[in-house]
Amino acid sequence: MKAATLFALATGVVTPVAVMADTLEQLVSDTVIEQQRQRLSQNTTGQGFGPQSPRDIDRLKGSNPVVFSPAPPASQMNLCNIHFHKNAEHKGGQFTRFAGNGDGRGYQGGYRYSGTLSEQELAPVQGDICPGRHGSLYPGDTIEVHYVHSSAQVTPGPTLAACLSQAGQNPQLRVEAQVYVLVNDAGAADFGELAAHGVRQGRHQGLNIPANTGTPVQYAGSTTGPAYNEKGSPFQVTWGVRPEVLKVNIASVGEWCRQNDFNEGHAHGVRNLVSNPQLLSDGTF
């Protein structure tokens, strides 16, 4: 989950379009990523930053000393924003295939669905899906969706501002995260339905956040996004990351990008996976 908004190809088969899209960015070496990690460590040591995100949800060891209370369940908070990142920011569960270092600015990095897809699911589609400066989406792509919730009395909308209120600038924040793999299949899940929201029992809610993709891994972390590759995020966020991936009809994602309440028209970049134990919480909530 990037603070501005607060939030794999599974076989050896790659469509020519996807290959072309992946080469739009100048990919960086391991040295560049390691330098970013070193600067992140230097810029956070002794500064009091709390635990950071994203992380490997299969390895919940850490030594960050900052402790905060978990946010209430999403049902007791207000949904304030929905956005997604191309490739999963988190690693673990069914999304462990490393996408590569990317361009060093958050694009083409992260993790991909580690399962298999059929030739039909990977078949090209007509038109550009959620096009942006860093390319479009293609069948076989992985996205991580962040359903952001706030304890403030707010309504869903674009950016972090939608999660804050003049009556209280320090709300508790929760992100329910779900990783999806995009397929060319009209029978797969509809993203418009998965992103539907409305008022339930007096609170703004995501009406169809998946409940069949494994028990969410709940941990203390922060906001994400590539802006924090070299500096700490000051936000305290309760995360619930589902370990299983859901297949989604790529056409429905394109429809959502063309019109939604969050002004989201393309995928966001990913923050480098945080691996420094001093920047990670220990265990789960």
Short mmCIF file of all heavy atoms in Angstrom, two decimals, residues 10-78:
data_model
loop_
_atom_site.label_atom_id
_atom_site.label_comp_id
_atom_site.label_asym_id
_atom_site.label_seq_id
_atom_site.Cartn_x
_atom_site.Cartn_y
_atom_site.Cartn_z
N ALA A 10 2.87 -17.84 -14.67
CA ALA A 10 2.95 -19.05 -13.86
C ALA A 10 3.57 -20.21 -14.63
O ALA A 10 3.85 -21.24 -14.08
CB ALA A 10 1.56 -19.44 -13.39
N THR A 11 3.76 -20.04 -15.90
CA THR A 11 4.39 -21.09 -16.68
C THR A 11 5.51 -20.46 -17.49
O THR A 11 5.74 -19.26 -17.42
CB THR A 11 3.38 -21.74 -17.65
OG1 THR A 11 3.04 -20.78 -18.65
CG2 THR A 11 2.13 -22.18 -16.91
N GLY A 12 6.17 -21.25 -18.29
CA GLY A 12 7.21 -20.71 -19.14
C GLY A 12 6.63 -20.02 -20.36
O GLY A 12 7.36 -19.50 -21.19
N VAL A 13 5.30 -20.04 -20.53
CA VAL A 13 4.67 -19.44 -21.69
C VAL A 13 4.52 -17.94 -21.46
O VAL A 13 3.97 -17.51 -20.46
CB VAL A 13 3.27 -20.05 -21.92
CG1 VAL A 13 2.61 -19.41 -23.13
CG2 VAL A 13 3.39 -21.55 -22.11
N VAL A 14 5.05 -17.14 -22.36
CA VAL A 14 4.94 -15.69 -22.26
C VAL A 14 4.49 -15.17 -23.61
O VAL A 14 5.08 -15.48 -24.63
CB VAL A 14 6.30 -15.04 -21.88
CG1 VAL A 14 6.15 -13.55 -21.75
CG2 VAL A 14 6.86 -15.65 -20.61
N THR A 15 3.45 -14.34 -23.64
CA THR A 15 3.00 -13.79 -24.91
C THR A 15 4.00 -12.75 -25.39
O THR A 15 4.65 -12.08 -24.59
CB THR A 15 1.62 -13.12 -24.74
OG1 THR A 15 1.78 -11.99 -23.89
CG2 THR A 15 0.62 -14.07 -24.15
N PRO A 16 4.15 -12.59 -26.71
CA PRO A 16 5.09 -11.60 -27.22
C PRO A 16 4.81 -10.21 -26.68
O PRO A 16 5.73 -9.45 -26.41
CB PRO A 16 4.86 -11.68 -28.75
CG PRO A 16 4.33 -13.07 -28.98
CD PRO A 16 3.52 -13.38 -27.77
N VAL A 17 3.53 -9.84 -26.49
CA VAL A 17 3.19 -8.53 -25.98
C VAL A 17 3.75 -8.34 -24.58
O VAL A 17 4.29 -7.30 -24.23
CB VAL A 17 1.66 -8.33 -25.98
CG1 VAL A 17 1.28 -7.07 -25.25
CG2 VAL A 17 1.15 -8.26 -27.42
N ALA A 18 3.61 -9.39 -23.73
CA ALA A 18 4.09 -9.29 -22.36
C ALA A 18 5.60 -9.13 -22.32
O ALA A 18 6.13 -8.37 -21.52
CB ALA A 18 3.66 -10.51 -21.56
N VAL A 19 6.29 -9.84 -23.19
CA VAL A 19 7.74 -9.71 -23.25
C VAL A 19 8.12 -8.29 -23.61
O VAL A 19 9.00 -7.68 -23.01
CB VAL A 19 8.33 -10.70 -24.29
CG1 VAL A 19 9.80 -10.39 -24.51
CG2 VAL A 19 8.15 -12.13 -23.82
N MET A 20 7.43 -7.70 -24.59
CA MET A 20 7.73 -6.36 -25.02
C MET A 20 7.48 -5.37 -23.88
O MET A 20 8.26 -4.45 -23.64
CB MET A 20 6.85 -6.00 -26.22
CG MET A 20 7.30 -4.76 -26.97
SD MET A 20 6.56 -4.69 -28.61
CE MET A 20 4.83 -4.78 -28.22
N ALA A 21 6.38 -5.58 -23.13
CA ALA A 21 6.05 -4.69 -22.02
C ALA A 21 7.11 -4.76 -20.93
O ALA A 21 7.47 -3.75 -20.34
CB ALA A 21 4.69 -5.04 -21.45
N ASP A 22 7.60 -5.96 -20.66
CA ASP A 22 8.57 -6.12 -19.59
C ASP A 22 9.91 -5.46 -19.91
O ASP A 22 10.69 -5.20 -19.02
CB ASP A 22 8.80 -7.60 -19.29
CG ASP A 22 7.66 -8.21 -18.50
OD1 ASP A 22 6.85 -7.45 -17.95
OD2 ASP A 22 7.59 -9.44 -18.44
N THR A 23 10.18 -5.22 -21.17
CA THR A 23 11.45 -4.63 -21.54
C THR A 23 11.34 -3.12 -21.73
O THR A 23 12.30 -2.47 -22.12
CB THR A 23 11.99 -5.27 -22.84
OG1 THR A 23 11.02 -5.12 -23.88
CG2 THR A 23 12.27 -6.75 -22.64
N LEU A 24 10.18 -2.54 -21.44
CA LEU A 24 10.04 -1.09 -21.53
C LEU A 24 10.91 -0.40 -20.48
O LEU A 24 11.35 0.73 -20.68
CB LEU A 24 8.57 -0.68 -21.33
CG LEU A 24 7.61 -1.01 -22.46
CD1 LEU A 24 6.19 -0.65 -22.06
CD2 LEU A 24 8.00 -0.30 -23.74
N GLU A 25 11.15 -1.06 -19.36
CA GLU A 25 11.95 -0.49 -18.28
C GLU A 25 13.39 -0.99 -18.38
O GLU A 25 13.65 -2.11 -18.77
CB GLU A 25 11.37 -0.90 -16.92
CG GLU A 25 9.88 -0.68 -16.79
CD GLU A 25 9.46 0.77 -16.81
OE1 GLU A 25 10.33 1.64 -16.59
OE2 GLU A 25 8.29 1.05 -17.05
N GLN A 26 14.34 -0.12 -17.99
CA GLN A 26 15.73 -0.52 -17.91
C GLN A 26 15.93 -1.24 -16.59
O GLN A 26 15.87 -0.63 -15.52
CB GLN A 26 16.64 0.71 -17.99
CG GLN A 26 18.12 0.39 -17.97
CD GLN A 26 18.56 -0.39 -19.20
OE1 GLN A 26 18.16 -0.07 -20.32
NE2 GLN A 26 19.39 -1.41 -19.00
N LEU A 27 16.13 -2.55 -16.63
CA LEU A 27 16.23 -3.32 -15.41
C LEU A 27 17.59 -3.12 -14.75
O LEU A 27 18.62 -2.96 -15.42
CB LEU A 27 16.00 -4.80 -15.72
CG LEU A 27 14.69 -5.11 -16.46
CD1 LEU A 27 14.50 -6.61 -16.60
CD2 LEU A 27 13.50 -4.48 -15.75
N VAL A 28 17.59 -3.11 -13.41
CA VAL A 28 18.81 -2.79 -12.67
C VAL A 28 19.44 -4.06 -12.09
O VAL A 28 18.81 -5.11 -12.00
CB VAL A 28 18.53 -1.78 -11.54
CG1 VAL A 28 17.96 -0.49 -12.11
CG2 VAL A 28 17.59 -2.38 -10.49
N SER A 29 20.67 -3.94 -11.66
CA SER A 29 21.42 -5.07 -11.12
C SER A 29 21.12 -5.26 -9.63
O SER A 29 20.53 -4.41 -8.97
CB SER A 29 22.92 -4.83 -11.30
OG SER A 29 23.34 -3.74 -10.48
N ASP A 30 21.59 -6.40 -9.11
CA ASP A 30 21.46 -6.67 -7.68
C ASP A 30 22.14 -5.58 -6.85
O ASP A 30 21.69 -5.26 -5.75
CB ASP A 30 22.07 -8.02 -7.33
CG ASP A 30 21.29 -9.19 -7.91
OD1 ASP A 30 20.15 -8.99 -8.36
OD2 ASP A 30 21.83 -10.32 -7.91
N THR A 31 23.22 -5.02 -7.39
CA THR A 31 23.97 -4.00 -6.66
C THR A 31 23.10 -2.78 -6.36
O THR A 31 23.16 -2.21 -5.27
CB THR A 31 25.22 -3.57 -7.45
OG1 THR A 31 26.06 -4.70 -7.67
CG2 THR A 31 26.00 -2.49 -6.72
N VAL A 32 22.29 -2.38 -7.31
CA VAL A 32 21.41 -1.21 -7.12
C VAL A 32 20.42 -1.46 -6.00
O VAL A 32 20.21 -0.61 -5.13
CB VAL A 32 20.67 -0.87 -8.43
CG1 VAL A 32 19.61 0.22 -8.19
CG2 VAL A 32 21.66 -0.42 -9.49
N ILE A 33 19.82 -2.63 -5.98
CA ILE A 33 18.85 -2.96 -4.94
C ILE A 33 19.54 -3.04 -3.59
O ILE A 33 19.00 -2.55 -2.57
CB ILE A 33 18.14 -4.29 -5.25
CG1 ILE A 33 17.45 -4.22 -6.62
CG2 ILE A 33 17.14 -4.62 -4.17
CD1 ILE A 33 16.43 -3.11 -6.76
N GLU A 34 20.73 -3.60 -3.55
CA GLU A 34 21.46 -3.69 -2.29
C GLU A 34 21.81 -2.30 -1.77
O GLU A 34 21.75 -2.04 -0.56
CB GLU A 34 22.73 -4.53 -2.47
CG GLU A 34 23.55 -4.71 -1.20
CD GLU A 34 22.75 -5.34 -0.06
OE1 GLU A 34 21.86 -6.18 -0.33
OE2 GLU A 34 23.01 -4.96 1.11
N GLN A 35 22.17 -1.39 -2.66
CA GLN A 35 22.46 -0.02 -2.25
C GLN A 35 21.21 0.66 -1.69
O GLN A 35 21.29 1.41 -0.71
CB GLN A 35 23.01 0.77 -3.43
CG GLN A 35 24.42 0.36 -3.84
CD GLN A 35 24.88 1.04 -5.12
OE1 GLN A 35 24.08 1.58 -5.90
NE2 GLN A 35 26.18 1.00 -5.36
N GLN A 36 20.06 0.38 -2.29
CA GLN A 36 18.82 0.94 -1.77
C GLN A 36 18.53 0.40 -0.38
O GLN A 36 18.09 1.14 0.51
CB GLN A 36 17.66 0.62 -2.72
CG GLN A 36 17.74 1.36 -4.04
CD GLN A 36 16.57 1.04 -4.96
OE1 GLN A 36 15.92 0.00 -4.84
NE2 GLN A 36 16.31 1.93 -5.91
N ARG A 37 18.78 -0.88 -0.18
CA ARG A 37 18.56 -1.48 1.14
C ARG A 37 19.50 -0.85 2.18
O ARG A 37 19.10 -0.61 3.33
CB ARG A 37 18.78 -2.99 1.08
CG ARG A 37 17.76 -3.75 0.23
CD ARG A 37 17.95 -5.25 0.36
NE ARG A 37 17.12 -5.99 -0.56
CZ ARG A 37 15.82 -6.23 -0.38
NH1 ARG A 37 15.22 -5.76 0.70
NH2 ARG A 37 15.13 -6.94 -1.27
N GLN A 38 20.75 -0.61 1.79
CA GLN A 38 21.71 -0.01 2.71
C GLN A 38 21.28 1.41 3.08
O GLN A 38 21.37 1.80 4.26
CB GLN A 38 23.10 -0.01 2.08
CG GLN A 38 23.72 -1.39 1.94
CD GLN A 38 25.04 -1.37 1.20
OE1 GLN A 38 25.51 -0.33 0.73
NE2 GLN A 38 25.67 -2.53 1.08
N ARG A 39 20.80 2.17 2.10
CA ARG A 39 20.36 3.53 2.39
C ARG A 39 19.11 3.53 3.28
O ARG A 39 18.96 4.39 4.15
CB ARG A 39 20.12 4.31 1.10
CG ARG A 39 21.41 4.75 0.41
CD ARG A 39 21.16 5.73 -0.70
NE ARG A 39 20.65 5.08 -1.89
CZ ARG A 39 21.42 4.64 -2.88
NH1 ARG A 39 22.73 4.74 -2.80
NH2 ARG A 39 20.87 4.07 -3.94
N LEU A 40 18.22 2.54 3.06
CA LEU A 40 17.05 2.42 3.92
C LEU A 40 17.49 2.18 5.36
O LEU A 40 16.96 2.78 6.30
CB LEU A 40 16.16 1.28 3.43
CG LEU A 40 14.96 0.93 4.32
CD1 LEU A 40 14.00 2.12 4.41
CD2 LEU A 40 14.23 -0.31 3.79
N SER A 41 18.46 1.30 5.54
CA SER A 41 18.96 1.01 6.88
C SER A 41 19.59 2.25 7.51
O SER A 41 19.33 2.60 8.67
CB SER A 41 19.97 -0.13 6.82
OG SER A 41 20.49 -0.42 8.09
N GLN A 42 20.42 2.94 6.72
CA GLN A 42 21.09 4.14 7.23
C GLN A 42 20.09 5.23 7.60
O GLN A 42 20.26 5.93 8.61
CB GLN A 42 22.07 4.67 6.18
CG GLN A 42 23.25 3.74 5.92
CD GLN A 42 24.04 4.12 4.67
OE1 GLN A 42 23.67 5.05 3.95
NE2 GLN A 42 25.13 3.41 4.42
N ASN A 43 19.05 5.37 6.82
CA ASN A 43 18.09 6.46 7.03
C ASN A 43 17.05 6.15 8.10
O ASN A 43 16.25 7.03 8.45
CB ASN A 43 17.37 6.78 5.72
CG ASN A 43 18.30 7.39 4.68
OD1 ASN A 43 19.30 8.01 5.02
ND2 ASN A 43 17.98 7.21 3.42
N THR A 44 17.06 4.92 8.63
CA THR A 44 16.08 4.57 9.66
C THR A 44 16.72 4.21 11.00
O THR A 44 16.05 4.26 12.02
CB THR A 44 15.21 3.37 9.20
OG1 THR A 44 16.06 2.28 8.81
CG2 THR A 44 14.33 3.77 8.02
N THR A 45 18.00 3.89 10.99
CA THR A 45 18.67 3.48 12.22
C THR A 45 18.63 4.59 13.27
O THR A 45 19.03 5.72 13.01
CB THR A 45 20.13 3.09 11.95
OG1 THR A 45 20.16 1.98 11.05
CG2 THR A 45 20.83 2.71 13.25
N GLY A 46 18.10 4.27 14.44
CA GLY A 46 18.05 5.22 15.53
C GLY A 46 17.03 6.33 15.38
O GLY A 46 17.01 7.27 16.19
N GLN A 47 16.17 6.24 14.37
CA GLN A 47 15.21 7.31 14.11
C GLN A 47 13.82 7.02 14.68
O GLN A 47 12.93 7.85 14.60
CB GLN A 47 15.10 7.54 12.60
CG GLN A 47 16.40 7.95 11.94
CD GLN A 47 16.96 9.24 12.52
OE1 GLN A 47 16.27 10.25 12.61
NE2 GLN A 47 18.23 9.20 12.92
N GLY A 48 13.62 5.82 15.21
CA GLY A 48 12.34 5.51 15.84
C GLY A 48 11.26 5.02 14.91
O GLY A 48 10.08 4.96 15.30
N PHE A 49 11.62 4.63 13.70
CA PHE A 49 10.61 4.13 12.76
C PHE A 49 10.08 2.78 13.24
O PHE A 49 10.81 1.93 13.75
CB PHE A 49 11.19 3.97 11.36
CG PHE A 49 11.32 5.26 10.61
CD1 PHE A 49 12.52 5.95 10.59
CD2 PHE A 49 10.22 5.79 9.94
CE1 PHE A 49 12.64 7.14 9.91
CE2 PHE A 49 10.33 6.99 9.26
CZ PHE A 49 11.54 7.67 9.25
N GLY A 50 8.78 2.59 13.05
CA GLY A 50 8.15 1.33 13.40
C GLY A 50 8.37 0.29 12.32
O GLY A 50 9.08 0.52 11.33
N PRO A 51 7.79 -0.89 12.51
CA PRO A 51 7.96 -1.98 11.54
C PRO A 51 7.45 -1.60 10.16
O PRO A 51 6.46 -0.87 10.03
CB PRO A 51 7.15 -3.12 12.14
CG PRO A 51 6.19 -2.47 13.08
CD PRO A 51 6.89 -1.26 13.61
N GLN A 52 8.12 -2.09 9.15
CA GLN A 52 7.86 -1.71 7.78
C GLN A 52 7.21 -2.84 6.98
O GLN A 52 7.22 -4.00 7.38
CB GLN A 52 9.18 -1.27 7.11
CG GLN A 52 9.86 -0.10 7.79
CD GLN A 52 9.14 1.21 7.63
OE1 GLN A 52 8.99 1.73 6.51
NE2 GLN A 52 8.65 1.77 8.73
N SER A 53 6.69 -2.47 5.83
CA SER A 53 6.07 -3.39 4.88
C SER A 53 6.56 -3.05 3.48
O SER A 53 6.96 -1.91 3.23
CB SER A 53 4.55 -3.26 4.92
OG SER A 53 4.03 -3.55 6.20
N PRO A 54 6.53 -4.01 2.54
CA PRO A 54 6.03 -5.38 2.61
C PRO A 54 7.08 -6.33 3.16
O PRO A 54 8.24 -5.97 3.31
CB PRO A 54 5.73 -5.70 1.14
CG PRO A 54 6.79 -4.93 0.40
CD PRO A 54 6.95 -3.65 1.17
N ARG A 55 6.65 -7.57 3.41
CA ARG A 55 7.55 -8.57 3.97
C ARG A 55 7.18 -9.95 3.44
O ARG A 55 6.17 -10.12 2.77
CB ARG A 55 7.45 -8.55 5.49
CG ARG A 55 6.12 -9.07 6.02
CD ARG A 55 6.06 -9.04 7.54
NE ARG A 55 7.12 -9.86 8.13
CZ ARG A 55 7.48 -9.78 9.41
NH1 ARG A 55 6.88 -8.92 10.22
NH2 ARG A 55 8.43 -10.56 9.88
N ASP A 56 8.00 -10.92 3.77
CA ASP A 56 7.71 -12.32 3.48
C ASP A 56 6.75 -12.81 4.56
O ASP A 56 7.12 -12.90 5.73
CB ASP A 56 9.02 -13.12 3.51
CG ASP A 56 8.85 -14.57 3.08
OD1 ASP A 56 7.73 -15.11 3.21
OD2 ASP A 56 9.85 -15.17 2.64
N ILE A 57 5.52 -13.12 4.18
CA ILE A 57 4.51 -13.50 5.17
C ILE A 57 4.69 -14.94 5.65
O ILE A 57 3.98 -15.38 6.57
CB ILE A 57 3.09 -13.30 4.63
CG1 ILE A 57 2.84 -14.18 3.39
CG2 ILE A 57 2.82 -11.83 4.35
CD1 ILE A 57 1.39 -14.22 2.95
N ASP A 58 5.62 -15.67 5.05
CA ASP A 58 5.92 -17.02 5.52
C ASP A 58 7.02 -17.02 6.57
O ASP A 58 7.32 -18.06 7.16
CB ASP A 58 6.35 -17.92 4.35
CG ASP A 58 5.19 -18.22 3.40
OD1 ASP A 58 4.03 -18.13 3.83
OD2 ASP A 58 5.46 -18.55 2.23
N ARG A 59 7.65 -15.86 6.78
CA ARG A 59 8.74 -15.75 7.75
C ARG A 59 8.47 -14.53 8.62
O ARG A 59 8.77 -13.40 8.22
CB ARG A 59 10.09 -15.61 7.03
CG ARG A 59 10.42 -16.82 6.16
CD ARG A 59 11.79 -16.69 5.53
NE ARG A 59 12.14 -17.86 4.75
CZ ARG A 59 13.31 -18.03 4.12
NH1 ARG A 59 14.25 -17.10 4.22
NH2 ARG A 59 13.54 -19.13 3.42
N LEU A 60 7.93 -14.75 9.78
CA LEU A 60 7.44 -13.66 10.60
C LEU A 60 8.36 -13.37 11.79
O LEU A 60 7.91 -13.16 12.91
CB LEU A 60 6.02 -13.97 11.08
CG LEU A 60 5.00 -14.03 9.92
CD1 LEU A 60 3.67 -14.52 10.41
CD2 LEU A 60 4.87 -12.65 9.26
N LYS A 61 9.65 -13.35 11.52
CA LYS A 61 10.63 -12.99 12.53
C LYS A 61 11.09 -11.56 12.30
O LYS A 61 11.27 -11.12 11.17
CB LYS A 61 11.83 -13.94 12.50
CG LYS A 61 11.52 -15.38 12.89
CD LYS A 61 11.15 -15.47 14.37
CE LYS A 61 10.97 -16.92 14.78
NZ LYS A 61 10.60 -17.03 16.22
N GLY A 62 11.29 -10.84 13.39
CA GLY A 62 11.78 -9.47 13.30
C GLY A 62 12.17 -8.97 14.66
O GLY A 62 11.85 -9.58 15.69
N SER A 63 12.87 -7.82 14.70
CA SER A 63 13.34 -7.29 15.97
C SER A 63 13.05 -5.80 16.13
O SER A 63 13.67 -5.14 16.96
CB SER A 63 14.85 -7.55 16.11
OG SER A 63 15.57 -6.95 15.04
N ASN A 64 12.10 -5.26 15.34
CA ASN A 64 11.77 -3.85 15.51
C ASN A 64 11.11 -3.66 16.87
O ASN A 64 10.18 -4.37 17.23
CB ASN A 64 10.83 -3.39 14.40
CG ASN A 64 10.60 -1.89 14.44
OD1 ASN A 64 9.74 -1.40 15.16
ND2 ASN A 64 11.39 -1.15 13.68
N PRO A 65 11.58 -2.67 17.66
CA PRO A 65 11.08 -2.51 19.02
C PRO A 65 9.77 -1.74 19.15
O PRO A 65 9.17 -1.73 20.24
CB PRO A 65 12.21 -1.76 19.71
CG PRO A 65 12.80 -0.92 18.62
CD PRO A 65 12.72 -1.76 17.38
N VAL A 66 9.33 -1.11 18.08
CA VAL A 66 8.12 -0.28 18.16
C VAL A 66 6.88 -1.18 18.17
O VAL A 66 6.73 -2.03 17.29
CB VAL A 66 8.05 0.72 17.00
CG1 VAL A 66 6.73 1.51 17.04
CG2 VAL A 66 9.24 1.67 17.04
N VAL A 67 6.03 -0.96 19.14
CA VAL A 67 4.83 -1.76 19.29
C VAL A 67 3.61 -0.85 19.24
O VAL A 67 3.62 0.22 19.86
CB VAL A 67 4.84 -2.55 20.62
CG1 VAL A 67 3.55 -3.34 20.79
CG2 VAL A 67 6.04 -3.49 20.68
N PHE A 68 2.58 -1.25 18.51
CA PHE A 68 1.32 -0.52 18.53
C PHE A 68 0.17 -1.51 18.52
O PHE A 68 0.33 -2.67 18.12
CB PHE A 68 1.21 0.47 17.36
CG PHE A 68 1.31 -0.14 15.99
CD1 PHE A 68 0.18 -0.60 15.31
CD2 PHE A 68 2.53 -0.21 15.34
CE1 PHE A 68 0.27 -1.13 14.03
CE2 PHE A 68 2.64 -0.76 14.06
CZ PHE A 68 1.51 -1.22 13.40
N SER A 69 -0.97 -1.07 18.99
CA SER A 69 -2.13 -1.95 19.10
C SER A 69 -2.70 -2.26 17.73
O SER A 69 -2.71 -1.39 16.85
CB SER A 69 -3.21 -1.31 19.97
OG SER A 69 -2.73 -1.08 21.28
N PRO A 70 -3.16 -3.48 17.52
CA PRO A 70 -3.78 -3.80 16.22
C PRO A 70 -5.03 -2.98 15.99
O PRO A 70 -5.76 -2.65 16.94
CB PRO A 70 -4.08 -5.30 16.34
CG PRO A 70 -4.15 -5.56 17.80
CD PRO A 70 -3.17 -4.63 18.44
N ALA A 71 -5.28 -2.64 14.74
CA ALA A 71 -6.50 -1.93 14.38
C ALA A 71 -7.69 -2.86 14.56
O ALA A 71 -7.54 -4.09 14.54
CB ALA A 71 -6.42 -1.44 12.95
N PRO A 72 -8.88 -2.32 14.72
CA PRO A 72 -10.07 -3.16 14.82
C PRO A 72 -10.27 -3.97 13.54
O PRO A 72 -9.65 -3.69 12.51
CB PRO A 72 -11.21 -2.14 15.01
CG PRO A 72 -10.54 -0.88 15.46
CD PRO A 72 -9.19 -0.88 14.82
N PRO A 73 -11.14 -4.97 13.58
CA PRO A 73 -11.49 -5.68 12.35
C PRO A 73 -12.02 -4.72 11.31
O PRO A 73 -12.58 -3.67 11.64
CB PRO A 73 -12.56 -6.68 12.81
CG PRO A 73 -12.36 -6.82 14.28
CD PRO A 73 -11.86 -5.49 14.76
N ALA A 74 -11.85 -5.09 10.03
CA ALA A 74 -12.32 -4.22 8.95
C ALA A 74 -13.80 -3.91 9.06
O ALA A 74 -14.25 -2.82 8.68
CB ALA A 74 -12.01 -4.87 7.60
N SER A 75 -14.57 -4.83 9.61
CA SER A 75 -16.01 -4.63 9.74
C SER A 75 -16.35 -3.51 10.71
O SER A 75 -17.47 -2.99 10.71
CB SER A 75 -16.68 -5.92 10.19
OG SER A 75 -16.19 -6.33 11.46
N GLN A 76 -15.38 -3.11 11.55
CA GLN A 76 -15.58 -2.04 12.51
C GLN A 76 -14.89 -0.75 12.09
O GLN A 76 -14.77 0.19 12.89
CB GLN A 76 -15.09 -2.48 13.89
CG GLN A 76 -15.83 -3.68 14.44
CD GLN A 76 -15.28 -4.16 15.77
OE1 GLN A 76 -14.60 -3.41 16.48
NE2 GLN A 76 -15.55 -5.41 16.12
N MET A 77 -14.43 -0.71 10.85
CA MET A 77 -13.74 0.47 10.32
C MET A 77 -14.43 0.90 9.03
O MET A 77 -15.33 0.22 8.54
CB MET A 77 -12.26 0.16 10.08
CG MET A 77 -11.52 -0.37 11.29
SD MET A 77 -9.79 -0.79 10.95
CE MET A 77 -9.06 0.85 10.89
N ASN A 78 -13.98 2.02 8.46
CA ASN A 78 -14.50 2.49 7.19
C ASN A 78 -13.52 2.22 6.06
O ASN A 78 -12.34 2.59 6.16
CB ASN A 78 -14.77 4.00 7.24
CG ASN A 78 -16.04 4.34 7.99
OD1 ASN A 78 -17.11 3.83 7.66
ND2 ASN A 78 -15.94 5.20 8.99
#
